[in-house]
Amino acid sequence: MTAKGKVYLVGAGPGDPELLTLKALRLIQTADVVVYDRLVSEDILDLIPAGAAKVDVGKRPNDHPVPQPDINRLLGRLAENGSMVVRLKGGDPFMFGRGGEELMELAAGGFLVEVVPGVTSAQGCAAAAGVPLTHRGYASGVRYITGHCRANIDLDFDWRGLADPDTTLVIYMGLANIDEIAGRLIAHGLSPETPVMAINNGTRLSERRVITRLGAVAATVRRSQFDGPVLFIVGDVVRLATHIETTAAGASDARLEIHA
Ligand SMILES: C[S@@+](CC[C@H](N)C(=O)[O-])C[C@H]1O[C@@H](n2cnc3c(N)ncnc32)[C@H](O)[C@@H]1O
């Protein structure tokens, strides 16, 4: 069977354009049309040539302007017309980004799909903040979880397994439920003194980092009034973050706030 067309599923990273892969940059600059979501930063959108079409299918929390099946159909239609289509997604397309669904739908529809990985926000934000996600004597492993759940469905995690002081926990999309997540982790044995870093708009000029502790994170978040994406890093490795202020080039511009 001949393919009906091709779609490039490309990760844009957490926001800093210099974290794009060379391949992502080349594809963005040669695309006929770029279909992007709300997490793709303005600095990266500025790299799309003026002659290329830009389609915003961004979803905001509790607001879904373009439903996922419509995005899948749109990508197929554009590729079928012979366009060079880049589907640009924040971070890595396969990390909590529904990239797998788009890949499967397009492949089932007879399209070729090439996936280009991006720096996922956990890695980009941790690196910029000088937080090693694993570190000898602090954390022997790391887990990425989503704090978002579908409407009226409880967060259903292996809380006992997650409440492990030897493992760093990175929480994507956790802002709305951080109160419940912190409470459950504490109820399952994680110390309320466990350090937490909340990173808002990581790797962008507007980046803010707040260090707090698990027992206080919900109150800290309420006070902080974040605007834009937020990621939580939970674990002893956060204690290492203070080194960045003096040692890491380019990472000290972000606002660091400490709430005990
Ligand atoms: C739908 S998920 C997409 C994750 C993305 N595919 C990735 O690999 O990073 C969106 C969540 O990613 C996190 N996120 C993405 N970019 C971020 C950034 N620049 N700063 C902080 N958090 C970010 C936030 O937790 C946000 O709610």
Side-chain angles (χ1 to χ4, degrees):
M1 189 177 85
T2 330
K4 292 190 204 163
K6 183 166 177 176
V7 175
Y8 294 88
L9 202 49
V10 178
D16 177 354
E18 293 198 322
L19 293 178
L20 281 171
T21 62
L22 291 176
K23 191 164 192 173
L25 181 61
R26 174 174 60 78
L27 292 170
I28 288 169
Q29 292 189 322
T30 50
D32 296 315
V33 52
V34 179
V35 179
Y36 64 94
D37 68 26
R38 116 196 117 83
L39 283 175
V40 178
S41 69
E42 285 299 322
D43 286 345
I44 289 175
L45 294 177
D46 287 346
L47 297 171
I48 302 171
K54 292 194 239 177
V55 184
D56 178 2
V57 291
K59 296 190 265 303
R60 279 149 195 90
N62 306 319
D63 165 26
H64 299 269
V66 184
Q68 190 64 46
D70 293 2
I71 296 176
N72 299 342
R73 273 194 293 275
L74 170 72
L75 293 171
R77 228 178 22 249
L78 291 167
E80 227 164 6
N81 289 343
S83 297
M84 186 324 204
V85 185
V86 167
R87 169 66 171 122
L88 192 59
K89 299 172 82 76
D92 181 83
F94 282 173
M95 194 63 78
F96 303 125
R98 306 190 74 170
E101 288 167 53
E102 290 178 14
L103 168 66
M104 281 180 243
E105 283 289 324
L106 288 162
F111 297 94
L112 285 176
V113 185
E114 185 171 338
V115 182
V116 179
V119 173
T120 190
S121 48
Q123 285 167 276
C125 294
V131 176
L133 293 175
T134 65
H135 192 80
R136 196 186 297 228
Y138 285 74
S140 55
V142 56
R143 286 180 80 170
Y144 295 168
I145 62 165
T146 168
H148 175 77
C149 53
R150 292 186 202 173
N152 304 324
I153 299 177
D154 280 347
L155 288 169
D156 183 20
F157 292 132
D158 162 25
W159 293 106
R160 194 167 299 284
L162 290 178
D164 172 7
D166 295 325
T167 300
T168 304
L169 193 59
V170 182
I171 306 167
Y172 289 68
M173 292 176 276
L175 196 57
N177 294 320
I178 195 62
D179 210 344
E180 181 184 350
I181 294 168
R184 297 264 202 138
L185 290 171
I186 292 168
H188 285 81
L190 204 56
S191 165
E193 298 306 314
T194 306
V196 178
M197 181 182 275
I199 302 162
N200 175 215
N201 293 321
T203 82
R204 304 173 188 206
L205 290 177
S206 53
E207 174 166 359
R208 285 172 67 196
R209 301 183 197 125
V210 177
I211 296 181
T212 181
R213 53 192 181 84
L214 195 58
V217 65
T220 302
V221 157
R222 276 193 291 276
R223 270 201 309 274
S224 299
Q225 303 198 324
F226 292 126
D227 184 20
V230 177
L231 188 84
F232 295 92
I233 302 178
V234 181
D236 279 335
V237 290
V238 169
R239 296 187 204 285
L240 301 165
T242 42
H243 292 271
I244 195 83
E245 298 307 307
T246 49
T247 55
S252 54
D253 292 342
R255 278 176 52 196
L256 176 68
E257 303 153 41
I258 301 190
H259 298 246

